[in-house]
Amino acid sequence: MSSAEKLVVFRLDDTLHALRLENVLRVVRAVQLTALPDAPATVAGVVNVQGEVLPVIDTRRRFGLGAKALEPSDRLILASLDTRRAALLVDAVEGVLSPEAGSVTPAERVVPSMELTEGALRLEDGMILIYNLERFLSLDDRRQLEQALERLSRDG
């Protein structure tokens, strides 16, 4: 990651996480989700954004955190996830950060087994894990999601 790249920083509970700004389309308030039968466990449902039905990935589930009820302060990060657009449900969006040169450590030097991360941004009081959206869903999850979305468009 070059120092010229920007990161969108979001919060889950008391921890900060980040995505590359280039993958983020926009941030909107969370709204009531529509259930998506037969979707992967990490998919909380779908939302209609200007006529486009987007799957909503529950980042709390994806990261193994405890579930919580949808709150008015929650946000959806609309993003490009490899071949499709999706919404990521987060507690809050903190803003955009421009990392200084040398402040991002590659993932393999932090925790080699964390396939979702591409690096960590070192801060004075901790760190922010930076996630790779192309790895957010496994191949099986992608297939299952596509099938569930196809059924929804066919039956809905």
Side-chain angles (χ1 to χ4, degrees):
M1 170 176 277
S2 75
S3 60
E5 293 187 69
K6 295 184 180 205
L7 302 172
V8 173
V9 178
F10 64 92
R11 181 177 297 280
L12 294 173
D13 291 334
D14 294 328
T15 60
L16 296 176
H17 309 269
L19 305 169
R20 288 177 182 228
L21 179 62
E22 69 190 41
N23 297 116
V24 174
L25 306 169
R26 67 181 180 196
V27 176
V28 298
R29 287 179 185 247
V31 295
Q32 189 64 40
L33 307 178
T34 301
L36 182 61
D38 302 321
T42 55
V43 176
V46 293
V47 293
N48 183 327
V49 179
Q50 297 177 329
E52 183 180 9
V53 176
L54 299 178
V56 177
I57 297 174
D58 186 338
T59 53
R60 299 180 68 78
R61 284 187 209 162
R62 186 64 182 105
F63 298 159
L65 300 174
K68 77 174 189 89
L70 192 66
E71 297 178 11
S73 61
D74 291 343
R75 296 290 182 258
L76 293 173
I77 299 174
L78 307 183
S80 296
L81 230 79
D82 58 44
T83 60
R84 81 157 26 263
R85 292 181 188 197
L88 282 66
L89 180 60
V90 300
D91 294 349
V93 173
E94 300 295 321
V96 176
L97 246 158
S98 297
E100 292 182 25
S103 62
V104 174
T105 302
E108 58 274 4
R109 291 188 33 217
V110 180
V111 183
S113 63
M114 290 185 68
E115 74 278 354
L116 293 179
T117 60
E118 67 178 54
L121 175 62
R122 295 184 307 269
L123 303 173
E124 287 182 18
D125 58 349
M127 76 168 96
I128 298 173
L129 291 179
I130 304 164
Y131 293 92
N132 183 330
L133 287 177
E134 292 178 9
R135 300 182 200 148
F136 238 64
L137 293 174
S138 69
L139 188 56
D140 287 341
D141 283 349
R142 282 185 228 163
R143 283 189 198 126
Q144 188 178 356
L145 175 60
E146 291 306 322
Q147 290 171 351
L149 289 168
E150 284 175 22
R151 276 191 293 278
L152 178 68
S153 66
R154 185 178 61 233
D155 300 340

